[in-house]
Amino acid sequence: MEQRVFGHTGKQVPVLGQGTWQMEDDSREEAIRSLRAGLDLGLTHVDTAELYGHGRVEESIVSEAIAGRRDEVFLVSKVMPSHATYAGTLAACEKSLRRLRTDRLDCYLLHWPGSHPLEETVRAFEKLVADGKTRAWGVSNFAVADLEELVSLAPAEHVACNQVLYHLEERAIEHAVLPWCEARGIAVVGYSPFGNGRFPSPRSPGGRVLESIAQAHGATARQVALQFLVRRPSLFAIPKASREAHLRDNAAAAALELSREELQRIDEAFPLGPSSDALPVL
Ligand code: NAP
């Protein structure tokens, strides 16, 4: 599995990780099996959040999947904006650690910008790093204006990543957020790389392009999509797959090599769309 330096953390992290949102709705055993198969295949970036299943995903799925394998995992969780006061962030982190049955996260994120002062969240994140509760911190769903406020409160070098919506039919981050983060060495983690289950149909014009490129490589359309979504060195993707067959399909995307011409065809088949200051979220 190809790895890249994850922002300013200096840590090598696989380009493809594993999402865990909505896993509480799937077979618990199957989801755990899939996550563990993912770790075996090198998809060691595991993304979770206190929000997911109201803590149940952390507590009963991710904790079990990483049990005995903590050192292999790049473990990411998120604090909800409603908890993101100074004291609330510290407390939320402790609760996530307890549910995950670990003593530290690798990265802790603010799930989206909220109404509590960002300065408090940042101060709590810095305290969590100083106390060894998380190795690094970052944000999620931050538009450029939010990022500007963030770097007025902390050095950009302290911000490991911005996790944002990014799939073939939603490429808005490419206008401003992605270049902004790239210019400052901040990793960009694309979530919902398959549009949260709404992947282009093979009969749609874009779907036909993906299928034809996939056929030329003996690959699948989703593998082609994933490879496109991590085509720049700042990019990571975190597909969610509760089914092991899906996980294996996704893991194989890392080995796919797309030519410049193929990337161009995908680019044209899924146009960028208009620029806007607002950041699309799921
Ligand atoms: P996604 O990864 O775009 O799509 C997941 C769906 O695609 C599931 O139904 C999954 O099925 C299916 N799937 C996965 N691989 C497949 C394959 N090879 N073939 C066919 N179907 C496949 O959706 P997502 O869960 O929204 O996004 C991924 C992760 O990003 C989340 O789990 C979460 O960790 C993170 N996220 C973060 C935010 C945020 O605000 N920061 C928001 C949304 C998501 P099965 O599960 O049945 O295998």
Side-chain angles (χ1 to χ4, degrees):
M1 171 65 54
E2 183 192 341
Q3 303 208 340
R4 293 178 175 165
V5 175
F6 194 80
H8 297 282
T9 64
K11 190 142 172 90
Q12 292 280 340
V13 171
V15 288
L16 300 178
Q18 305 192 72
T20 63
W21 185 35
Q22 297 168 327
M23 273 192 170
E24 74 280 9
D25 297 335
D26 302 326
S27 150
R28 174 175 175 269
E29 287 66 35
E30 212 175 356
I32 292 169
R33 213 167 30 244
S34 182
L35 284 168
R36 289 181 82 89
L39 299 184
D40 294 340
L41 291 166
L43 281 78
T44 51
H45 173 175
V46 176
D47 178 76
T48 192
E50 61 169 343
L51 176 72
Y52 298 170
H54 304 288
R56 274 189 295 135
V57 170
E58 287 183 329
E59 186 156 36
S60 77
I61 298 176
V62 177
S63 71
E64 190 68 23
I66 66 171
R69 307 183 68 165
R70 177 65 188 91
D71 290 347
E72 291 169 50
V73 181
F74 186 80
L75 185 59
V76 178
S77 191
K78 314 183 195 83
V79 57
M80 275 163 55
S82 56
H83 293 162
T85 57
Y86 178 73
T89 302
L90 299 182
C93 184
E94 285 297 342
K95 287 183 191 162
S96 281
L97 291 174
R98 214 169 311 132
R99 283 190 292 265
L100 289 160
R101 284 186 266 137
T102 185
D103 59 354
R104 84 256 175 220
L105 298 169
D106 290 287
C107 200
Y108 196 39
L109 312 182
L110 175 59
H111 211 143
W112 62 89
S115 54
H116 292 302
L118 187 56
E119 174 274 323
E120 289 199 27
T121 321
V122 167
R123 200 152 41 84
F125 281 163
E126 298 280 25
K127 165 91 172 134
L128 290 167
V129 170
D131 291 350
K133 305 282 183 180
T134 186
R135 296 256 159 84
W137 61 267
V139 291
S140 178
N141 298 301
F142 266 45
V144 167
D146 306 313
L147 291 163
E148 293 284 3
E149 182 189 354
L150 185 64
V151 298
S152 73
L153 300 168
E157 297 73 45
H158 290 203
V159 184
C161 69
N162 186 17
Q163 187 184 116
V164 286
L165 179 64
Y166 189 43
H167 58 83
L168 290 179
E169 291 175 331
E170 184 47 85
R171 296 176 54 195
I173 61 157
E174 290 182 39
H175 287 294
V177 168
L178 180 61
W180 193 98
C181 290
E182 283 177 338
R184 290 158 184 82
I186 294 172
V188 176
V189 179
Y191 72 70
S192 301
F194 301 139
N196 189 243
R198 287 174 297 277
F199 192 70
S201 144
R203 288 176 298 281
S204 66
R208 281 199 292 273
V209 170
L210 295 179
E211 292 292 337
S212 98
I213 296 171
Q215 264 179 24
H217 289 269
T220 65
R222 283 172 194 265
Q223 290 168 352
V224 172
L226 284 176
Q227 192 49 241
F228 180 84
L229 295 172
V230 296
R231 71 199 179 286
R232 287 158 70 150
S234 58
L235 286 167
F236 297 79
I238 47 169
K240 173 258 183 186
S242 284
R243 288 177 234 196
E244 194 176 326
H246 290 166
L247 179 278
R248 291 189 180 279
D249 184 33
N250 301 340
L256 188 63
E257 282 182 33
L258 299 178
S259 67
R260 191 189 294 254
E261 187 258 337
E262 287 168 329
L263 291 172
Q264 178 107 31
R265 282 172 64 201
I266 301 167
D267 181 59
E268 285 162 11
F270 296 93
L272 199 48
S275 180
S276 149
D277 289 342
L279 188 64
V281 294
L282 201 70

